[in-house]
mmCIF file of all heavy atoms in Angstrom:
data_model
loop_
_atom_site.group_PDB
_atom_site.id
_atom_site.type_symbol
_atom_site.label_atom_id
_atom_site.label_comp_id
_atom_site.label_asym_id
_atom_site.label_seq_id
_atom_site.Cartn_x
_atom_site.Cartn_y
_atom_site.Cartn_z
ATOM 1 N N MET A 358 -5.341 21.217 2.398
ATOM 2 C CA MET A 358 -6.571 20.613 1.742
ATOM 3 C C MET A 358 -7.377 21.594 0.968
ATOM 4 O O MET A 358 -8.063 22.413 1.533
ATOM 5 C CB MET A 358 -7.461 19.909 2.744
ATOM 6 C CG MET A 358 -6.782 18.785 3.557
ATOM 7 S SD MET A 358 -6.448 17.389 2.502
ATOM 8 C CE MET A 358 -5.707 16.138 3.788
ATOM 9 N N SER A 359 -7.170 21.741 -0.243
ATOM 10 C CA SER A 359 -7.895 22.666 -1.138
ATOM 11 C C SER A 359 -8.910 21.847 -2.039
ATOM 12 O O SER A 359 -9.226 22.446 -3.072
ATOM 13 C CB SER A 359 -6.943 23.467 -1.895
ATOM 14 O OG SER A 359 -6.149 22.621 -2.728
ATOM 15 N N TYR A 360 -9.311 20.717 -1.627
ATOM 16 C CA TYR A 360 -10.196 19.909 -2.517
ATOM 17 C C TYR A 360 -11.617 20.574 -2.234
ATOM 18 O O TYR A 360 -12.064 21.073 -1.197
ATOM 19 C CB TYR A 360 -10.141 18.484 -2.046
ATOM 20 C CG TYR A 360 -9.116 17.673 -2.703
ATOM 21 C CD1 TYR A 360 -7.835 17.873 -2.314
ATOM 22 C CD2 TYR A 360 -9.378 16.827 -3.638
ATOM 23 C CE1 TYR A 360 -6.761 17.294 -2.762
ATOM 24 C CE2 TYR A 360 -8.306 15.987 -4.235
ATOM 25 C CZ TYR A 360 -7.048 16.222 -3.788
ATOM 26 O OH TYR A 360 -6.015 15.576 -4.339
ATOM 27 N N MET A 361 -12.391 20.303 -3.325
ATOM 28 C CA MET A 361 -13.847 20.880 -3.278
ATOM 29 C C MET A 361 -14.544 19.672 -2.426
ATOM 30 O O MET A 361 -14.080 18.620 -2.335
ATOM 31 C CB MET A 361 -14.350 20.841 -4.654
ATOM 32 C CG MET A 361 -13.677 21.685 -5.679
ATOM 33 S SD MET A 361 -14.119 23.429 -5.310
ATOM 34 C CE MET A 361 -15.754 23.476 -5.939
ATOM 35 N N ALA A 362 -15.563 20.227 -1.879
ATOM 36 C CA ALA A 362 -16.508 19.208 -1.016
ATOM 37 C C ALA A 362 -17.291 18.268 -1.966
ATOM 38 O O ALA A 362 -18.250 18.560 -2.514
ATOM 39 C CB ALA A 362 -17.310 20.036 -0.203
ATOM 40 N N LYS A 363 -16.790 17.116 -2.224
ATOM 41 C CA LYS A 363 -17.402 16.090 -2.945
ATOM 42 C C LYS A 363 -16.916 14.754 -2.437
ATOM 43 O O LYS A 363 -15.925 14.545 -1.843
ATOM 44 C CB LYS A 363 -16.948 16.153 -4.436
ATOM 45 C CG LYS A 363 -15.403 15.893 -4.658
ATOM 46 C CD LYS A 363 -15.046 15.912 -6.204
ATOM 47 C CE LYS A 363 -13.658 15.520 -6.331
ATOM 48 N NZ LYS A 363 -13.346 15.425 -7.820
ATOM 49 N N PRO A 364 -17.851 13.758 -2.694
ATOM 50 C CA PRO A 364 -17.577 12.422 -2.094
ATOM 51 C C PRO A 364 -16.326 11.848 -2.857
ATOM 52 O O PRO A 364 -16.126 12.086 -3.909
ATOM 53 C CB PRO A 364 -18.836 11.574 -2.615
ATOM 54 C CG PRO A 364 -19.344 12.355 -3.747
ATOM 55 C CD PRO A 364 -19.116 13.786 -3.436
ATOM 56 N N THR A 365 -15.676 10.989 -2.029
ATOM 57 C CA THR A 365 -14.468 10.227 -2.456
ATOM 58 C C THR A 365 -14.777 8.819 -2.664
ATOM 59 O O THR A 365 -14.822 8.027 -1.781
ATOM 60 C CB THR A 365 -13.385 10.461 -1.486
ATOM 61 O OG1 THR A 365 -13.289 11.881 -1.116
ATOM 62 C CG2 THR A 365 -12.116 9.943 -1.942
ATOM 63 N N PRO A 366 -15.020 8.577 -4.011
ATOM 64 C CA PRO A 366 -15.267 7.124 -4.301
ATOM 65 C C PRO A 366 -14.119 6.224 -4.024
ATOM 66 O O PRO A 366 -14.302 4.987 -3.672
ATOM 67 C CB PRO A 366 -15.635 7.130 -5.706
ATOM 68 C CG PRO A 366 -15.006 8.479 -6.268
ATOM 69 C CD PRO A 366 -15.014 9.420 -5.127
ATOM 70 N N GLU A 367 -12.943 6.745 -4.103
ATOM 71 C CA GLU A 367 -11.621 5.995 -3.772
ATOM 72 C C GLU A 367 -11.452 5.888 -2.405
ATOM 73 O O GLU A 367 -10.514 6.553 -1.790
ATOM 74 C CB GLU A 367 -10.591 6.534 -4.621
ATOM 75 C CG GLU A 367 -10.787 6.605 -6.172
ATOM 76 C CD GLU A 367 -11.168 7.884 -6.475
ATOM 77 O OE1 GLU A 367 -11.805 8.555 -5.814
ATOM 78 O OE2 GLU A 367 -10.884 8.320 -7.574
ATOM 79 N N ALA A 368 -12.309 5.234 -1.711
ATOM 80 C CA ALA A 368 -12.105 5.253 -0.159
ATOM 81 C C ALA A 368 -10.792 4.395 0.140
ATOM 82 O O ALA A 368 -10.355 4.529 1.248
ATOM 83 C CB ALA A 368 -13.237 4.424 0.467
ATOM 84 N N GLU A 369 -10.410 3.558 -0.801
ATOM 85 C CA GLU A 369 -9.169 2.762 -0.492
ATOM 86 C C GLU A 369 -7.873 3.489 -0.537
ATOM 87 O O GLU A 369 -6.966 3.115 -0.041
ATOM 88 C CB GLU A 369 -9.260 1.490 -1.501
ATOM 89 C CG GLU A 369 -10.339 0.535 -1.296
ATOM 90 C CD GLU A 369 -9.926 -0.443 -0.320
ATOM 91 O OE1 GLU A 369 -8.934 -1.111 -0.488
ATOM 92 O OE2 GLU A 369 -10.713 -0.416 0.779
ATOM 93 N N ILE A 370 -8.112 4.703 -1.301
ATOM 94 C CA ILE A 370 -6.772 5.447 -1.370
ATOM 95 C C ILE A 370 -6.623 6.203 -0.211
ATOM 96 O O ILE A 370 -7.425 7.161 0.164
ATOM 97 C CB ILE A 370 -7.056 6.490 -2.589
ATOM 98 C CG1 ILE A 370 -7.125 5.522 -3.892
ATOM 99 C CG2 ILE A 370 -5.886 7.353 -2.731
ATOM 100 C CD1 ILE A 370 -7.266 6.460 -5.140
ATOM 101 N N ASP A 371 -5.680 5.833 0.626
ATOM 102 C CA ASP A 371 -5.341 6.478 1.913
ATOM 103 C C ASP A 371 -3.877 6.421 2.140
ATOM 104 O O ASP A 371 -3.346 5.513 2.899
ATOM 105 C CB ASP A 371 -6.126 5.692 2.921
ATOM 106 C CG ASP A 371 -5.870 6.375 4.291
ATOM 107 O OD1 ASP A 371 -5.689 7.682 4.380
ATOM 108 O OD2 ASP A 371 -6.086 5.640 5.303
ATOM 109 N N PRO A 372 -3.249 7.284 1.476
ATOM 110 C CA PRO A 372 -1.710 7.216 1.599
ATOM 111 C C PRO A 372 -1.207 7.559 3.020
ATOM 112 O O PRO A 372 -1.625 8.560 3.588
ATOM 113 C CB PRO A 372 -1.106 8.477 0.669
ATOM 114 C CG PRO A 372 -2.435 8.816 -0.026
ATOM 115 C CD PRO A 372 -3.534 8.346 0.647
ATOM 116 N N LYS A 373 -0.559 6.590 3.526
ATOM 117 C CA LYS A 373 -0.017 6.831 4.815
ATOM 118 C C LYS A 373 1.247 5.816 5.042
ATOM 119 O O LYS A 373 1.440 4.921 4.280
ATOM 120 C CB LYS A 373 -1.020 6.615 5.852
ATOM 121 C CG LYS A 373 -1.557 5.158 5.954
ATOM 122 C CD LYS A 373 -2.311 4.978 7.117
ATOM 123 C CE LYS A 373 -3.632 5.867 7.162
ATOM 124 N NZ LYS A 373 -4.531 5.578 8.331
ATOM 125 N N VAL A 374 1.907 6.133 6.256
ATOM 126 C CA VAL A 374 2.995 5.145 6.492
ATOM 127 C C VAL A 374 2.419 3.931 7.104
ATOM 128 O O VAL A 374 1.728 3.981 8.174
ATOM 129 C CB VAL A 374 3.988 5.785 7.480
ATOM 130 C CG1 VAL A 374 5.120 4.846 7.851
ATOM 131 C CG2 VAL A 374 4.614 7.161 6.729
ATOM 132 N N ARG A 375 2.741 2.727 6.458
ATOM 133 C CA ARG A 375 2.418 1.470 6.990
ATOM 134 C C ARG A 375 3.590 0.634 7.275
ATOM 135 O O ARG A 375 4.651 0.923 6.640
ATOM 136 C CB ARG A 375 1.455 0.892 6.081
ATOM 137 C CG ARG A 375 0.153 1.632 5.878
ATOM 138 C CD ARG A 375 -0.693 0.908 4.771
ATOM 139 N NE ARG A 375 -1.643 1.725 4.086
ATOM 140 C CZ ARG A 375 -2.740 2.172 4.800
ATOM 141 N NH1 ARG A 375 -3.198 1.610 5.818
ATOM 142 N NH2 ARG A 375 -3.568 3.079 4.039
ATOM 143 N N ASN A 376 3.419 -0.467 7.959
ATOM 144 C CA ASN A 376 4.460 -1.446 8.112
ATOM 145 C C ASN A 376 4.464 -2.425 7.031
ATOM 146 O O ASN A 376 3.388 -3.012 6.762
ATOM 147 C CB ASN A 376 4.417 -2.009 9.510
ATOM 148 C CG ASN A 376 4.933 -1.043 10.486
ATOM 149 O OD1 ASN A 376 5.612 -0.115 10.390
ATOM 150 N ND2 ASN A 376 4.360 -1.242 11.776
ATOM 151 N N CYS A 377 5.517 -2.677 6.439
ATOM 152 C CA CYS A 377 5.454 -3.747 5.318
ATOM 153 C C CYS A 377 5.354 -5.138 6.002
ATOM 154 O O CYS A 377 5.864 -5.413 7.060
ATOM 155 C CB CYS A 377 6.879 -3.615 4.670
ATOM 156 S SG CYS A 377 7.267 -5.025 3.483
ATOM 157 N N LEU A 378 4.459 -5.919 5.355
ATOM 158 C CA LEU A 378 4.251 -7.209 5.950
ATOM 159 C C LEU A 378 5.301 -8.163 5.749
ATOM 160 O O LEU A 378 5.467 -9.195 6.340
ATOM 161 C CB LEU A 378 2.979 -7.774 5.242
ATOM 162 C CG LEU A 378 1.648 -7.127 5.553
ATOM 163 C CD1 LEU A 378 0.541 -7.837 4.852
ATOM 164 C CD2 LEU A 378 1.379 -7.122 7.071
ATOM 165 N N ALA A 379 6.295 -7.903 4.805
ATOM 166 C CA ALA A 379 7.445 -8.771 4.587
ATOM 167 C C ALA A 379 8.580 -8.511 5.372
ATOM 168 O O ALA A 379 9.059 -9.347 6.068
ATOM 169 C CB ALA A 379 7.688 -8.626 3.030
ATOM 170 N N CYS A 380 8.950 -7.112 5.463
ATOM 171 C CA CYS A 380 10.195 -6.835 6.204
ATOM 172 C C CYS A 380 9.819 -5.958 7.458
ATOM 173 O O CYS A 380 10.690 -5.827 8.122
ATOM 174 C CB CYS A 380 11.089 -6.045 5.375
ATOM 175 S SG CYS A 380 10.472 -4.306 4.824
ATOM 176 N N LEU A 381 8.477 -5.737 7.723
ATOM 177 C CA LEU A 381 8.073 -5.168 8.965
ATOM 178 C C LEU A 381 8.533 -3.733 9.124
ATOM 179 O O LEU A 381 8.490 -3.246 10.197
ATOM 180 C CB LEU A 381 8.426 -5.998 10.119
ATOM 181 C CG LEU A 381 7.861 -7.459 10.118
ATOM 182 C CD1 LEU A 381 8.201 -8.224 11.281
ATOM 183 C CD2 LEU A 381 6.346 -7.508 9.894
ATOM 184 N N ARG A 382 9.119 -3.192 8.106
ATOM 185 C CA ARG A 382 9.571 -1.925 8.131
ATOM 186 C C ARG A 382 8.536 -0.926 7.649
ATOM 187 O O ARG A 382 7.858 -1.098 6.753
ATOM 188 C CB ARG A 382 10.893 -1.709 7.336
ATOM 189 C CG ARG A 382 12.070 -2.487 7.953
ATOM 190 C CD ARG A 382 13.230 -2.292 7.099
ATOM 191 N NE ARG A 382 14.415 -2.976 7.573
ATOM 192 C CZ ARG A 382 15.622 -3.042 7.110
ATOM 193 N NH1 ARG A 382 15.886 -2.346 6.108
ATOM 194 N NH2 ARG A 382 16.602 -3.754 7.586
ATOM 195 N N PRO A 383 8.509 0.293 8.248
ATOM 196 C CA PRO A 383 7.551 1.344 7.864
ATOM 197 C C PRO A 383 7.879 1.969 6.409
ATOM 198 O O PRO A 383 9.149 2.092 6.079
ATOM 199 C CB PRO A 383 7.744 2.417 8.895
ATOM 200 C CG PRO A 383 9.069 2.260 9.553
ATOM 201 C CD PRO A 383 9.270 0.798 9.466
ATOM 202 N N PHE A 384 6.828 1.991 5.703
ATOM 203 C CA PHE A 384 7.130 2.588 4.291
ATOM 204 C C PHE A 384 5.800 3.359 3.904
ATOM 205 O O PHE A 384 4.787 3.244 4.621
ATOM 206 C CB PHE A 384 7.361 1.408 3.271
ATOM 207 C CG PHE A 384 6.004 0.684 2.976
ATOM 208 C CD1 PHE A 384 5.405 0.880 1.728
ATOM 209 C CD2 PHE A 384 5.469 -0.220 3.820
ATOM 210 C CE1 PHE A 384 4.173 0.196 1.475
ATOM 211 C CE2 PHE A 384 4.433 -0.877 3.550
ATOM 212 C CZ PHE A 384 3.701 -0.792 2.285
ATOM 213 N N THR A 385 6.048 4.175 2.940
ATOM 214 C CA THR A 385 4.902 5.052 2.521
ATOM 215 C C THR A 385 3.981 4.209 1.489
ATOM 216 O O THR A 385 4.356 4.050 0.444
ATOM 217 C CB THR A 385 5.367 6.323 1.864
ATOM 218 O OG1 THR A 385 6.186 6.972 2.614
ATOM 219 C CG2 THR A 385 4.182 7.275 1.449
ATOM 220 N N SER A 386 2.852 3.977 2.165
ATOM 221 C CA SER A 386 1.919 3.060 1.391
ATOM 222 C C SER A 386 1.047 4.110 0.568
ATOM 223 O O SER A 386 0.513 5.108 1.035
ATOM 224 C CB SER A 386 1.059 2.225 2.179
ATOM 225 O OG SER A 386 -0.107 1.675 1.624
ATOM 226 N N ALA A 387 0.790 3.721 -0.660
ATOM 227 C CA ALA A 387 -0.082 4.715 -1.494
ATOM 228 C C ALA A 387 -1.596 4.580 -1.262
ATOM 229 O O ALA A 387 -2.297 5.377 -1.592
ATOM 230 C CB ALA A 387 0.307 4.417 -2.996
ATOM 231 N N TRP A 388 -1.862 3.290 -0.876
ATOM 232 C CA TRP A 388 -3.397 3.169 -0.701
ATOM 233 C C TRP A 388 -3.495 2.005 0.374
ATOM 234 O O TRP A 388 -2.492 1.333 0.836
ATOM 235 C CB TRP A 388 -4.128 2.788 -1.935
ATOM 236 C CG TRP A 388 -3.513 1.506 -2.668
ATOM 237 C CD1 TRP A 388 -2.326 1.387 -3.257
ATOM 238 C CD2 TRP A 388 -4.339 0.264 -2.792
ATOM 239 N NE1 TRP A 388 -2.327 0.155 -3.820
ATOM 240 C CE2 TRP A 388 -3.441 -0.631 -3.534
ATOM 241 C CE3 TRP A 388 -5.532 -0.182 -2.469
ATOM 242 C CZ2 TRP A 388 -3.860 -1.925 -3.891
ATOM 243 C CZ3 TRP A 388 -5.986 -1.389 -2.845
ATOM 244 C CH2 TRP A 388 -5.303 -2.243 -3.444
ATOM 245 N N ALA A 389 -4.791 1.795 0.765
ATOM 246 C CA ALA A 389 -5.039 0.930 1.946
ATOM 247 C C ALA A 389 -4.562 -0.461 1.649
ATOM 248 O O ALA A 389 -4.308 -1.282 2.588
ATOM 249 C CB ALA A 389 -6.519 0.967 2.268
ATOM 250 N N GLY A 390 -4.551 -0.926 0.275
ATOM 251 C CA GLY A 390 -4.260 -2.279 -0.074
ATOM 252 C C GLY A 390 -2.862 -2.488 -0.231
ATOM 253 O O GLY A 390 -2.525 -3.814 -0.341
ATOM 254 N N GLU A 391 -2.122 -1.536 -0.133
ATOM 255 C CA GLU A 391 -0.545 -1.841 -0.383
ATOM 256 C C GLU A 391 -0.017 -2.017 0.964
ATOM 257 O O GLU A 391 0.162 -1.098 1.734
ATOM 258 C CB GLU A 391 -0.054 -0.519 -1.041
ATOM 259 C CG GLU A 391 1.480 -0.706 -1.439
ATOM 260 C CD GLU A 391 1.922 0.357 -2.252
ATOM 261 O OE1 GLU A 391 1.779 1.597 -1.922
ATOM 262 O OE2 GLU A 391 2.410 0.123 -3.299
ATOM 263 N N ARG A 392 0.453 -3.248 1.118
ATOM 264 C CA ARG A 392 1.007 -3.631 2.425
ATOM 265 C C ARG A 392 2.490 -4.113 2.337
ATOM 266 O O ARG A 392 3.142 -4.479 3.251
ATOM 267 C CB ARG A 392 0.274 -4.762 3.138
ATOM 268 C CG ARG A 392 -1.247 -4.427 3.262
ATOM 269 C CD ARG A 392 -1.400 -3.187 4.193
ATOM 270 N NE ARG A 392 -2.759 -2.790 4.373
ATOM 271 C CZ ARG A 392 -3.636 -3.401 5.236
ATOM 272 N NH1 ARG A 392 -3.246 -4.369 6.032
ATOM 273 N NH2 ARG A 392 -4.894 -3.004 5.365
ATOM 274 N N ILE A 393 3.018 -4.120 1.167
ATOM 275 C CA ILE A 393 4.292 -4.443 0.865
ATOM 276 C C ILE A 393 5.131 -3.372 0.248
ATOM 277 O O ILE A 393 4.736 -2.685 -0.632
ATOM 278 C CB ILE A 393 4.357 -5.709 -0.118
ATOM 279 C CG1 ILE A 393 3.408 -6.879 0.301
ATOM 280 C CG2 ILE A 393 5.825 -6.201 -0.317
ATOM 281 C CD1 ILE A 393 3.899 -7.526 1.653
ATOM 282 N N CYS A 394 6.285 -3.180 0.888
ATOM 283 C CA CYS A 394 7.167 -1.997 0.398
ATOM 284 C C CYS A 394 7.617 -2.291 -0.978
ATOM 285 O O CYS A 394 7.617 -3.400 -1.414
ATOM 286 C CB CYS A 394 8.228 -1.627 1.416
ATOM 287 S SG CYS A 394 9.497 -2.921 1.424
ATOM 288 N N HIS A 395 8.008 -1.165 -1.642
ATOM 289 C CA HIS A 395 8.486 -1.340 -3.022
ATOM 290 C C HIS A 395 9.637 -2.263 -3.042
ATOM 291 O O HIS A 395 9.996 -2.948 -4.039
ATOM 292 C CB HIS A 395 8.729 0.032 -3.669
ATOM 293 C CG HIS A 395 7.514 0.868 -3.685
ATOM 294 N ND1 HIS A 395 6.457 0.651 -4.528
ATOM 295 C CD2 HIS A 395 7.230 1.875 -2.933
ATOM 296 C CE1 HIS A 395 5.546 1.550 -4.293
ATOM 297 N NE2 HIS A 395 5.904 2.328 -3.414
ATOM 298 N N LYS A 396 10.461 -2.253 -2.101
ATOM 299 C CA LYS A 396 11.692 -3.045 -2.107
ATOM 300 C C LYS A 396 11.383 -4.402 -2.135
ATOM 301 O O LYS A 396 11.942 -5.301 -2.759
ATOM 302 C CB LYS A 396 12.560 -2.593 -0.842
ATOM 303 C CG LYS A 396 13.985 -3.180 -0.892
ATOM 304 C CD LYS A 396 14.776 -2.668 0.230
ATOM 305 C CE LYS A 396 16.281 -3.183 0.187
ATOM 306 N NZ LYS A 396 17.076 -2.579 1.118
ATOM 307 N N CYS A 397 10.387 -4.831 -1.147
ATOM 308 C CA CYS A 397 10.078 -6.229 -1.111
ATOM 309 C C CYS A 397 9.247 -6.692 -2.339
ATOM 310 O O CYS A 397 9.249 -7.800 -2.743
ATOM 311 C CB CYS A 397 9.247 -6.431 0.135
ATOM 312 S SG CYS A 397 10.175 -6.345 1.676
ATOM 313 N N LYS A 398 8.496 -5.744 -2.976
ATOM 314 C CA LYS A 398 7.777 -6.068 -4.227
ATOM 315 C C LYS A 398 8.709 -6.337 -5.355
ATOM 316 O O LYS A 398 8.483 -7.212 -6.152
ATOM 317 C CB LYS A 398 6.837 -4.940 -4.635
ATOM 318 C CG LYS A 398 5.440 -4.828 -3.879
ATOM 319 C CD LYS A 398 4.612 -3.856 -4.423
ATOM 320 C CE LYS A 398 3.274 -3.951 -3.824
ATOM 321 N NZ LYS A 398 2.352 -2.944 -4.295
ATOM 322 N N SER A 399 9.798 -5.695 -5.354
ATOM 323 C CA SER A 399 10.845 -5.873 -6.331
ATOM 324 C C SER A 399 11.391 -7.200 -6.172
ATOM 325 O O SER A 399 11.550 -8.067 -7.028
ATOM 326 C CB SER A 399 11.959 -4.918 -6.234
ATOM 327 O OG SER A 399 11.493 -3.614 -6.403
ATOM 328 N N SER A 400 11.690 -7.645 -5.042
ATOM 329 C CA SER A 400 12.201 -9.017 -4.748
ATOM 330 C C SER A 400 10.916 -9.897 -4.677
ATOM 331 O O SER A 400 9.897 -9.348 -4.090
ATOM 332 C CB SER A 400 13.037 -9.180 -3.481
ATOM 333 O OG SER A 400 12.343 -8.730 -2.383
ATOM 334 N N SER A 401 11.031 -11.100 -5.033
ATOM 335 C CA SER A 401 9.760 -11.922 -4.987
ATOM 336 C C SER A 401 9.688 -12.861 -3.615
ATOM 337 O O SER A 401 8.982 -13.767 -3.660
ATOM 338 C CB SER A 401 9.672 -12.811 -6.183
ATOM 339 O OG SER A 401 10.883 -13.581 -6.339
ATOM 340 N N SER A 402 10.440 -12.472 -2.694
ATOM 341 C CA SER A 402 10.539 -13.297 -1.492
ATOM 342 C C SER A 402 9.299 -13.206 -0.704
ATOM 343 O O SER A 402 9.073 -14.005 0.119
ATOM 344 C CB SER A 402 11.797 -13.005 -0.710
ATOM 345 O OG SER A 402 11.660 -11.540 -0.277
ATOM 346 N N TRP A 403 8.456 -12.081 -0.804
ATOM 347 C CA TRP A 403 7.294 -11.987 -0.080
ATOM 348 C C TRP A 403 6.142 -12.801 -0.617
ATOM 349 O O TRP A 403 5.200 -13.071 0.152
ATOM 350 C CB TRP A 403 6.768 -10.516 -0.031
ATOM 351 C CG TRP A 403 6.486 -10.026 -1.300
ATOM 352 C CD1 TRP A 403 7.225 -9.487 -2.357
ATOM 353 C CD2 TRP A 403 5.146 -9.793 -1.964
ATOM 354 N NE1 TRP A 403 6.473 -9.049 -3.400
ATOM 355 C CE2 TRP A 403 5.265 -9.276 -3.183
ATOM 356 C CE3 TRP A 403 3.836 -10.122 -1.449
ATOM 357 C CZ2 TRP A 403 4.062 -9.098 -3.933
ATOM 358 C CZ3 TRP A 403 2.609 -10.028 -2.174
ATOM 359 C CH2 TRP A 403 2.857 -9.501 -3.444
ATOM 360 N N ARG A 404 6.271 -13.360 -1.675
ATOM 361 C CA ARG A 404 5.149 -14.044 -2.338
ATOM 362 C C ARG A 404 5.318 -15.565 -1.886
ATOM 363 O O ARG A 404 5.869 -16.419 -2.546
ATOM 364 C CB ARG A 404 5.276 -14.088 -3.813
ATOM 365 C CG ARG A 404 5.028 -12.773 -4.365
ATOM 366 C CD ARG A 404 4.966 -12.853 -6.037
ATOM 367 N NE ARG A 404 5.454 -11.734 -6.550
ATOM 368 C CZ ARG A 404 5.821 -11.626 -7.934
ATOM 369 N NH1 ARG A 404 5.758 -12.632 -8.646
ATOM 370 N NH2 ARG A 404 6.067 -10.526 -8.464
ATOM 371 N N SER A 405 4.845 -15.779 -0.762
ATOM 372 C CA SER A 405 5.028 -17.275 -0.144
ATOM 373 C C SER A 405 3.611 -17.994 -0.539
ATOM 374 O O SER A 405 2.921 -18.347 0.510
ATOM 375 C CB SER A 405 5.181 -17.177 1.328
ATOM 376 O OG SER A 405 4.382 -16.394 1.923
ATOM 377 N N GLY A 406 3.342 -18.179 -1.712
ATOM 378 C CA GLY A 406 2.240 -19.004 -2.077
ATOM 379 C C GLY A 406 0.937 -18.202 -2.097
ATOM 380 O O GLY A 406 -0.125 -18.769 -2.301
ATOM 381 N N SER A 407 0.900 -16.883 -1.784
ATOM 382 C CA SER A 407 -0.368 -16.184 -1.721
ATOM 383 C C SER A 407 -0.400 -15.272 -2.864
ATOM 384 O O SER A 407 -1.012 -14.090 -2.721
ATOM 385 C CB SER A 407 -0.494 -15.563 -0.420
ATOM 386 O OG SER A 407 0.621 -14.647 -0.207
ATOM 387 N N ALA A 408 0.179 -15.459 -3.937
ATOM 388 C CA ALA A 408 0.105 -14.608 -5.038
ATOM 389 C C ALA A 408 -1.371 -14.465 -5.689
ATOM 390 O O ALA A 408 -1.927 -15.557 -5.858
ATOM 391 C CB ALA A 408 0.985 -15.012 -6.227
ATOM 392 N N PRO A 409 -1.927 -13.260 -5.800
ATOM 393 C CA PRO A 409 -3.246 -13.108 -6.334
ATOM 394 C C PRO A 409 -3.312 -13.629 -7.868
ATOM 395 O O PRO A 409 -2.350 -13.543 -8.542
ATOM 396 C CB PRO A 409 -3.487 -11.714 -6.353
ATOM 397 C CG PRO A 409 -2.097 -10.972 -6.411
ATOM 398 C CD PRO A 409 -1.182 -12.040 -5.620
ATOM 399 N N HIS A 410 -4.274 -14.196 -8.188
ATOM 400 C CA HIS A 410 -4.517 -14.789 -9.496
ATOM 401 C C HIS A 410 -4.769 -13.690 -10.578
ATOM 402 O O HIS A 410 -5.481 -12.899 -10.433
ATOM 403 C CB HIS A 410 -5.741 -15.747 -9.511
ATOM 404 C CG HIS A 410 -5.728 -16.464 -10.886
ATOM 405 N ND1 HIS A 410 -6.601 -16.098 -11.894
ATOM 406 C CD2 HIS A 410 -5.196 -17.644 -11.257
ATOM 407 C CE1 HIS A 410 -6.416 -16.930 -12.794
ATOM 408 N NE2 HIS A 410 -5.645 -17.923 -12.448
HETATM 409 ZN ZN1 ZN B 238 9.316 -4.729 2.865
#
């Protein structure tokens, strides 16, 4: 961590390994709101009627 001591407005940005909501497999999520792995995002099978407008 060589970052300067400054506030982080991007609180949502929290890269870590999360479980995909679609295939339930762990994947590297780039931020807190990313819950679907890239593989499932590519396929549209995870969008079961809850697609954001
Ligand atoms: Zn997935």
